[in-house]
Amino acid sequence: MEDALAVRRVDRLGMVLVAGGLLAAASMPFIIVKANRIAAGKPQLLTQLLAQPVALALLILLVATALAALFLRNQLVRLGIATLAIALLIITLGLVSTAATPAGSTVARITPGGSFWVLLAVIGLVISDALVKLQLTPWLRVASLALYAAILGVILKSGLLDNLSIMKEYANNADKFWNEALGHVFLSLGSVAIAIVLALPLGIFCYWQPRLRAVVLRGLSLVQTIPSLALFGILMLPLGYIATHVPFAAAIGIQGIGTAPALVALVIYSLLPIVANTVVGLAGVDPSVRDAAAGMGLTRRQILTGIDLPLAFPVILTGIRIVLVQAIGLVTVAALIGGGGFGLFIFQGIGQTANDLVLLGAVPTVFLAFSSAVILDAVIDSIRGQSA
């Protein structure tokens, strides 16, 4: 009986995370040392790096984090230990990569191994679990995101990670990186902004006209079934025709390849979630509130703008959140048709068998999508909290 109670006292999520972290640390390399960019690498486990004091300190802190994840109920202390662990994990990666780089070598590459990424994910989940259990207010969640981004920014600014291969790829492509970053943000936010302008009235119209609602939603659902790359290809033909036969269209940048088909495809993909959530949000408004407003003499337009849309806004914003995260991911595929963005590095890396170039495109894409989701979730929860 006592044994059974003891097992129940152990955090079940913590058990899964600790098991995953242990398995990764024991079987997967912490770093991979390569003589050059495309050479086969020499993997090194974390246990093979324990001669370095920082690696030993990391191991001790990882054990403390595992015990905290399993047994500690004080979420604030748990969060503090995990935050120290994730900071030391990244610092350790930088210091061991510096130690592993041959003196004077400009072609050697040190890549983070599988155990680094798994440990990063495991500690990140321990932090997320602690933040959820602390039940932070929406804007404290955004402040937490800013704090962890600031910690990462300080480590990057210090130069500790400069010997990592991903940072060498960044140094070689710094100007191009920021140009593509701007292009990625422009395509993501621009497509979502255009989709909002188109989908919001369409959603209101669908709500007012139930007979057309099913037709419109089915049509948009059908578009969602088309693979993104196929849709990009389909749009190349009509846009190329328009660019050839309409000089004004070509003058403003519409072409068969490039940003134009990418933007059009992203807008089309973004319509369904916003239209559907607008319909659901408006349908969720209490009819008695509308009746009361009509009884006070408000017109249909006044009821829509003053009652319906404000009450439906959190649901509509949830659709916009889905669309924004989806768009940030899809822009990477647009690089295949000349749309630019971080996908350019991903596909160049795949073509050159350079995994670090792939990471240079993938890591900021994930960070952008994650940050957008956290911020919009906070906005939605904040609005719901005010209206509750």
Side-chain angles (χ1 to χ4, degrees):
M1 184 66 181
E2 289 182 357
D3 290 344
L5 289 174
V7 170
R8 274 201 290 271
R9 283 197 290 270
V10 176
D11 189 297
R12 292 180 180 177
L13 175 62
M15 288 175 66
V16 174
L17 294 178
V18 170
L22 277 174
L23 189 63
S27 61
M28 302 170 77
F30 188 74
I31 58 170
I32 300 171
V33 182
K34 299 178 183 177
N36 55 55
R37 192 184 189 199
I38 59 173
K42 179 184 177 185
Q44 294 189 11
L45 298 174
L46 181 59
T47 50
Q48 294 175 298
L49 302 167
L50 292 180
Q52 300 180 46
V54 68
L56 185 59
L58 174 64
L59 187 62
I60 294 170
L61 196 51
L62 287 176
V63 172
T65 306
L67 293 174
L70 288 172
F71 303 110
L72 199 58
R73 293 293 173 266
N74 187 321
Q75 300 303 327
L76 204 55
V77 177
R78 197 179 186 186
L79 179 65
I81 294 172
T83 300
L84 285 175
I86 204 165
L88 188 59
L89 178 72
I90 298 172
I91 291 170
T92 302
L93 178 69
L95 291 176
V96 298
S97 65
T98 301
T101 304
S105 174
T106 57
V107 295
R109 291 287 189 271
I110 314 298
T111 304
S115 72
F116 169 79
W117 294 112
V118 173
L119 289 171
L120 187 70
V122 165
I123 300 171
L125 287 171
V126 173
I127 291 173
S128 299
D129 184 49
L131 288 172
V132 169
K133 288 176 178 172
L134 282 171
Q135 298 183 335
L136 298 179
T137 61
W139 294 111
L140 274 179
R141 296 205 301 267
V142 176
S144 301
L145 174 68
L147 175 65
Y148 287 107
I151 292 173
L152 179 61
V154 168
I155 294 173
L156 287 171
K157 192 72 177 173
S158 69
L160 272 173
L161 304 181
D162 283 357
N163 281 307
L164 277 179
S165 51
I166 184 173
M167 296 306 296
K168 289 185 176 178
E169 295 291 353
Y170 168 75
N172 293 334
N173 298 279
D175 293 338
K176 191 176 174 184
F177 177 88
W178 290 111
N179 286 335
E180 298 306 331
L182 283 175
H184 201 108
V185 172
F186 165 75
L187 265 179
S188 305
L189 294 182
S191 63
V192 172
I194 296 171
I196 292 171
V197 172
L198 296 175
L200 199 56
L202 187 58
I204 295 169
F205 182 72
C206 286
Y207 173 70
W208 282 347
Q209 301 294 332
R211 290 183 180 177
L212 291 176
R213 186 186 308 164
V215 176
V216 172
L217 291 178
R218 281 176 190 166
L220 294 176
S221 299
L222 185 64
V223 172
Q224 290 275 331
T225 63
I226 302 174
S228 55
L229 196 55
L231 186 59
F232 289 143
I234 292 170
L235 289 171
M236 288 168 65
L237 294 176
L239 289 175
Y241 180 85
I242 291 171
T244 304
H245 294 86
V246 182
F248 176 73
I252 62 173
I254 294 178
Q255 297 176 339
I257 60 170
T259 305
L263 187 64
V264 173
L266 290 169
V267 170
I268 292 173
Y269 270 123
S270 301
L271 292 177
L272 178 63
I274 301 177
V275 172
N277 277 47
T278 302
V279 172
V280 172
L282 292 175
V285 176
D286 189 345
S288 64
V289 178
R290 287 198 195 97
D291 293 341
M296 293 170 64
L298 270 64
T299 64
R300 191 178 188 185
R301 183 182 63 79
Q302 288 172 326
I303 293 174
L304 174 67
T305 56
I307 305 291
D308 286 346
L309 286 178
L311 290 176
F313 188 60
V315 180
I316 298 171
L317 200 55
T318 303
I320 294 172
R321 171 196 172 279
I322 295 168
V323 161
L324 182 57
V325 174
Q326 171 186 278
I328 290 171
L330 281 177
V331 170
T332 55
V333 184
L336 284 173
I337 58 166
F342 289 128
L344 193 69
F345 299 113
I346 294 174
F347 292 110
Q348 277 185 358
I350 292 171
Q352 298 171 15
T353 325
N355 292 335
D356 305 306
L357 198 54
V358 175
L359 288 176
L360 186 63
V363 171
T365 303
V366 173
F367 179 77
L368 266 181
F370 180 75
S371 303
S372 303
V374 170
I375 292 170
L376 283 181
D377 275 342
V379 173
I380 293 166
D381 289 347
S382 178
I383 293 172
R384 282 182 171 150
Q386 288 173 3
S387 60

